[in-house]
């Protein structure tokens, strides 16, 4: 497969700290937009597929005063032609014990596949608003956090017909995949512990529900 991609990122009034080699983003007080367009080129270096793939991502965060910091990332994607599953949107799962902000942490690898989808991931950092009220915990400076992740999508009949074994994969046309969790961060200033629950597709085999 051969593919050409164009990535446009727009961050209005984004600020940076620059060094001699690299620079670190301080973010923007406005939403950050990412647009990615990919074109599959058939017959280029023996490529077999011609397709158009479009992905839009919006990221933003809000300071809520005493209630801390709320961040959200919404993403939508669509593929306009029929393709075999490795070239579709395979939603990122996580079978490890390490929390991954970019994945669905109770979803198995290759569990869900779509040709168009909409996903939302949100985090609320409370900044100690609850734990600081407990004298024994105040000196530890632990911070509470809550997370929410959901994705909804569909798999067209044309793409489903290309699957060698359709039973191996699931699509999200019946209902969204949803998980949420709570946790504590800033443990020894470097550690974070989350407890996450899965709320949909609980009948799938070999899944972790919590």
């Amino acid at each position: 497969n051969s593919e050409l991609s164009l990535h446009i990122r727009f961050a209005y009034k984004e600020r940076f700290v620059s060094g001699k080699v690299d620079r670190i983003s301080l973010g923007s007080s406005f939403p950050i937009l990412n647009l990615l367009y990919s074109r599959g080129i058939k017959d280029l270096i023996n490529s077999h597929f011609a397709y158009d793939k479009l992905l839009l991502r919006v990221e933003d965060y809000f300071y809520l005063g005493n209630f801390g910091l709320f961040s959200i990332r919404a993403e939508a994607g669509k593929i306009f032609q029929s393709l075999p599953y490795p070239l579709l949107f395979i939603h990122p799962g996580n079978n490890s014990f390490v929390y991954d902000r970019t994945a669905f942490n109770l979803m198995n690898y290759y569990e869900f596949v779509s040709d168009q989808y909409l996903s939302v991931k949100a985090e609320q950092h409370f900044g100690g608003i609850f734990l600081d009220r407990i004298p024994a915990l105040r000196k530890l400076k632990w911070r509470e956090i809550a997370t929410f992740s959901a994705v909804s999508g569909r798999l067209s009949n044309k793409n489903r017909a290309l699957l060698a074994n359709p039973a191996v994969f699931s699509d999200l046309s019946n209902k969204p995949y949803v998980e949420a969790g709570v946790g504590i961060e800033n443990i020894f200033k470097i550690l974070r512990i989350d407890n996450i629950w899965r709320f949909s597709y609980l009948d799938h085999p070999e899944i972790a529900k919590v």
Side-chain angles (χ1 to χ4, degrees), residues 139-192:
K139 293 184 178 180
L140 296 176
K141 296 184 179 180
W142 289 355
R143 299 291 182 256
E144 318 87 342
I145 187 171
T147 60
F148 174 82
S149 301
V151 56
S152 179
R154 66 179 294 273
L155 184 65
S156 67
N157 291 330
K158 291 182 178 180
N159 280 322
R160 192 186 306 275
L162 293 178
L163 296 175
N165 185 0
V168 174
F169 302 95
S170 298
D171 67 272
L172 296 158
S173 57
N174 293 327
K175 56 185 176 182
Y177 172 89
V178 180
E179 65 182 30
V182 294
I184 298 175
E185 58 183 349
N186 201 45
I187 301 174
F188 304 120
K189 298 185 178 181
I190 58 172
L191 297 180
R192 166 175 164 172

Side-chain angles (χ1 to χ4, degrees), residues 192-207:
R192 166 175 164 172
I193 297 177
D194 288 82
N195 194 54
I196 304 172
W197 294 269
R198 173 170 171 158
F199 295 104
S200 57
Y201 297 96
L202 301 180
D203 57 338
H204 284 196
E206 300 180 2
I207 63 168

Side-chain angles (χ1 to χ4, degrees), residues 15 26-30 59-63 69-72:
R15 297 172 298 166
L26 298 179
S28 170
S29 56
F30 298 89
E59 304 171 65
D60 203 359
Y61 62 89
F62 307 91
Y63 287 105
L69 176 68
F70 176 78
S71 63
I72 185 169

Side-chain angles (χ1 to χ4, degrees), residues 21-36:
V21 179
D22 55 8
R23 63 179 185 171
I24 299 174
S25 172
L26 298 179
S28 170
S29 56
F30 298 89
I32 298 176
L33 307 178
N34 286 271
L35 179 65
L36 179 64

Side-chain angles (χ1 to χ4, degrees), residues 9-186:
R9 182 179 183 273
F10 179 72
Y12 184 59
K13 292 187 177 181
E14 184 177 20
R15 297 172 298 166
F16 296 91
V17 174
S18 297
K20 294 182 179 180
V21 179
D22 55 8
R23 63 179 185 171
I24 299 174
S25 172
L26 298 179
S28 170
S29 56
F30 298 89
I32 298 176
L33 307 178
N34 286 271
L35 179 65
L36 179 64
Y37 169 73
S38 300
R39 171 66 180 173
I41 310 297
K42 189 175 181 179
D43 298 324
L44 177 63
I45 318 179
N46 297 321
S47 174
H48 290 78
F49 307 102
Y51 58 88
D52 299 280
K53 184 183 296 185
L54 192 63
L55 189 147
L56 175 64
R57 181 186 303 121
V58 182
E59 304 171 65
D60 203 359
Y61 62 89
F62 307 91
Y63 287 105
L64 304 178
N66 293 334
F67 288 95
L69 176 68
F70 176 78
S71 63
I72 185 169
R73 184 178 73 175
E75 188 174 286
K78 182 175 177 61
I79 298 173
F80 294 89
Q81 290 83 14
S82 300
L83 291 172
Y85 85 88
L87 297 177
L88 299 177
F89 296 115
I90 301 174
H91 302 293
N94 184 13
N95 290 123
S96 73
F97 293 100
V98 179
Y99 182 82
D100 186 347
R101 283 189 174 92
T102 64
F104 298 92
N105 285 276
L106 292 183
M107 181 187 293
N108 289 336
Y109 297 131
Y110 300 99
E111 186 176 354
F112 295 97
V113 62
S114 303
D115 51 41
Q116 65 180 38
Y117 74 96
L118 175 65
S119 69
V120 176
K121 295 183 73 68
E123 285 190 350
Q124 174 66 43
H125 300 261
F126 290 100
I129 189 174
F130 302 114
L131 295 179
D132 280 354
R133 297 179 182 275
I134 304 174
L137 298 179
R138 185 180 302 138
K139 293 184 178 180
L140 296 176
K141 296 184 179 180
W142 289 355
R143 299 291 182 256
E144 318 87 342
I145 187 171
T147 60
F148 174 82
S149 301
V151 56
S152 179
R154 66 179 294 273
L155 184 65
S156 67
N157 291 330
K158 291 182 178 180
N159 280 322
R160 192 186 306 275
L162 293 178
L163 296 175
N165 185 0
V168 174
F169 302 95
S170 298
D171 67 272
L172 296 158
S173 57
N174 293 327
K175 56 185 176 182
Y177 172 89
V178 180
E179 65 182 30
V182 294
I184 298 175
E185 58 183 349
N186 201 45

